[in-house]
Amino acid sequence: MLKISNIEMKNPVVLAPMAGVTNPAFRLIAKEFGCGLVCAEMVSDKALVHGNERTREMLFVDEREKPLSLQIFGGDRKSLVEAAKIVDKESNADIIDINMGCPVPKVTKCDAGARWLLDPNKIYEMVSAVVDSVDKPVTVKMRIGWDDDHIYVVDNALAVQRAGGQAVSVHGRTREQLYTGTADWSYIKQVKEALDIPVIGNGDVFTPEDARNMMDTTGCDGVMIGRGALGNPWMLYRTIEYLTHGTLPSDPSPEEKIRIAILHMDRLIAMRGEHVAVKEMRKHLAWYLKGLPGAARVKDRIMEESHRDEVIRMLEEYVEQVNAGVFDRHTQREQRNANEDESSAAQ
């Protein structure tokens, strides 16, 4: 089992922190699907310290989500420490995570996120300052390096450990890669071999088999799933079952996907109100519908809708059409037309 300081997870599957995604509405679903540890979306140290209301709201943790890690980012030691103290004393999160992997320019220009990857000394200085100021365990999420010419991941991870960090999560891409190319898991293995604290692997885990392969290949203590869980909390459950029992549960039915999507939307509405939540759910609904037959037709309509009841009507009507084989008939007709076109062209 994955254990960070004195906090023991019931399995090694971790939901990655994702901006605009891992709010309480989705985190609770992930926890209900069995996820060992869920991570909240990152919050700005300065926004916390300055009392930004929206940012303070992001500290909310439902007791059912625990254990939970809450992530902060910043480039100034004083404000990062003050933000960590706020999380330590004013939230019931279990773990304080420091973001050292965010690649977006608005973060790195503030000497935060992935910018730290260029300087192991700064990592030690910042992490030790936070560790010395809080009671909760401190962890770090990092990338392997800034670019192919500046990969200091082992030195950076060792700096976290020396500073008192209790675990590191390593995404096998550089900052320059963003989310393109492939994650290089060999660096996760190097970090695991160098450290005594737990190492969580991250990057290109889209199937339960990927998770098993990552753990076997790198020896990592936990596996972090991000994009693979978008609109797909079943990925978390199926991975847990595969890692724990060696069994691979079947994919969800369209009815089950839509049921959870509606639950997700209703929880988001309870948090944000209908007008904001339904618009925010559009991207999530597109993810939930991904791969289902004829999904493009209903997606286009949902993207224009702002009312909960109308969205639900569209989704339920869509499921009825799927069950009635409407899209199967469409596919067969499209295939016949394509075959006829090919025959005509050949003649």
Side-chain angles (χ1 to χ4, degrees):
M1 291 300 101
L2 175 62
K3 188 175 182 181
I4 297 174
S5 185
N6 62 342
I7 301 161
E8 190 166 337
M9 322 311 159
K10 60 183 180 180
N11 60 65
V13 176
V14 181
L15 176 68
M18 292 178 281
V21 174
T22 51
N23 52 46
F26 186 62
R27 295 195 311 254
L28 184 54
I29 289 172
K31 186 61 72 170
E32 289 165 346
F33 274 74
C35 201
L37 175 67
V38 295
C39 302
E41 55 189 316
M42 68 179 187
V43 295
S44 160
D45 62 343
K46 286 184 166 48
L48 270 183
V49 171
H50 294 153
N52 180 277
E53 184 178 349
R54 174 77 178 88
T55 305
R56 286 295 183 111
E57 288 173 357
M58 292 168 72
L59 299 186
F60 172 77
V61 177
D62 187 311
E63 282 294 317
R64 293 171 293 176
E65 299 177 62
K66 293 166 66 68
L68 176 139
S69 170
L70 203 152
Q71 188 180 76
I72 58 176
F73 74 93
D76 174 74
R77 183 171 67 174
K78 182 178 178 181
S79 61
L80 191 71
V81 166
E82 288 306 309
K85 287 180 179 178
I86 293 169
V87 175
D88 193 45
K89 302 303 179 189
E90 298 182 27
S91 89
N92 59 341
D94 302 279
I95 296 165
I96 299 172
D97 188 62
I98 300 174
N99 182 292
M100 209 171 79
C102 183
V104 301
K106 71 177 181 180
V107 171
T108 58
K109 284 178 181 176
C110 300
D111 202 22
R115 192 73 192 175
W116 294 17
L117 300 172
L118 293 166
D119 189 353
N121 291 327
K122 171 157 186 165
I123 291 168
Y124 175 80
E125 172 194 326
M126 299 288 271
V127 175
S128 60
V130 172
V131 168
D132 291 344
S133 303
V134 299
D135 295 322
K136 297 183 193 293
V138 175
T139 62
V140 167
K141 185 175 189 295
M142 64 173 68
R143 285 177 175 245
I144 59 172
W146 182 260
D147 55 31
D148 287 343
D149 296 323
H150 301 86
I151 296 179
Y152 312 135
V153 65
V154 174
D155 288 341
N156 290 341
L158 284 169
V160 172
Q161 179 171 277
R162 287 198 309 274
Q166 296 295 309
V168 292
S169 302
V170 180
H171 183 157
R173 284 182 172 84
T174 63
R175 181 265 170 191
E176 187 178 59
Q177 281 182 276
L178 301 177
Y179 296 96
T180 64
T182 57
D184 190 337
W185 294 353
S186 68
Y187 288 105
I188 299 172
K189 182 179 182 181
Q190 290 178 35
V191 172
K192 175 57 187 170
E193 290 172 348
L195 265 59
D196 299 317
I197 59 176
V199 175
I200 299 167
N202 178 220
D204 290 353
V205 178
F206 294 105
T207 68
E209 294 92 337
D210 291 338
R212 177 78 275 166
N213 188 24
M214 173 182 274
M215 296 193 77
D216 290 345
T217 301
T218 69
C220 63
D221 303 281
V223 58
M224 180 175 279
I225 299 172
R227 289 176 294 159
L230 295 176
N232 188 18
W234 298 270
M235 166 59 182
L236 304 170
Y237 168 72
R238 296 176 79 240
T239 299
I240 293 161
E241 289 295 303
Y242 191 63
L243 294 179
T244 307
H245 305 294
T247 57
L248 202 55
S250 58
D251 286 320
S253 65
E255 291 98 328
E256 174 67 2
K257 278 199 159 192
I258 297 308
R259 183 181 73 81
I260 296 299
I262 292 172
L263 172 65
H264 188 169
M265 179 170 64
D266 283 341
R267 285 178 174 168
L268 204 54
I269 288 171
M271 288 172 51
R272 306 256 201 268
E274 181 177 10
H275 183 70
V276 173
V278 173
K279 287 184 177 179
E280 189 173 324
M281 269 302 294
R282 290 171 181 170
K283 64 185 178 186
H284 292 281
L285 290 170
W287 290 325
Y288 278 106
L289 289 162
K290 186 178 179 181
L292 295 179
R297 294 174 175 85
V298 70
K299 270 193 251 183
D300 289 343
R301 293 164 60 204
I302 285 172
M303 293 304 146
E304 303 297 324
E305 188 50 60
S306 302
H307 298 91
R308 171 196 181 273
D309 291 347
E310 187 59 20
V311 169
I312 291 175
R313 186 193 66 75
M314 291 177 184
L315 291 172
E316 290 177 343
E317 180 184 85
Y318 166 72
V319 170
E320 289 175 4
Q321 291 175 329
V322 170
N323 290 339
V326 169
F327 300 111
D328 293 337
R329 293 195 293 273
H330 280 312
T331 301
Q332 290 168 4
R333 187 159 57 247
E334 288 168 0
Q335 188 59 55
R336 281 198 305 272
N337 291 340
N339 291 339
E340 289 170 1
D341 290 343
E342 288 177 11
S343 297
S344 299
Q347 293 171 3

